[in-house]
Amino acid sequence: MTQKIKYIMTPNPFRIGIHEKIFTALKLMSEHKIHHLAVMDGDDLQGIITDRDIELVLDVKLEGVKSDSITVQDIMFEEPYIVDVDESLVNVLERFSKHHIGSALVTDNDQLVGIFSASDACKELLKRIRHEDLSSV
């Protein structure tokens, strides 16, 4: 039986409005110890932004642009990896590996319901390894 992503994902992911400033996104990520935020325009999923995206932009000297004026929309990734809740874990992990992807937004009937990240994958692997170790005793 193939495990579905809905059983491993993090439900109810944190979201940010498309017109919010990147410092608001960074603060939200820092407060909740997360690395990804779903970008929304009302109820519509528009993309994803990561702490790395923000750090890269802040590291670059943008001539004539004040960093406090940069919005989430300015730097978000508009084509995130989106999967249905019934997608298999194996398929998601294969795509992560093949395309160097760090997260997948999980939807059910086109509504955002979760996120699955490389950290979630590591937690699941650790759980399975521990289970195997206990089984071999």
Side-chain angles (χ1 to χ4, degrees), residues 14-16 25 28-29 34-39 47-50:
F14 287 96
R15 305 152 192 243
I16 191 157
L28 186 60
M29 289 179 200
I34 57 175
H35 303 283
H36 307 85
L37 288 171
V39 179
I48 192 165
I49 189 168
T50 70

Side-chain angles (χ1 to χ4, degrees), residues 8 37 63 80 104 113:
I8 305 167
L37 288 171
E63 194 172 321
V113 295

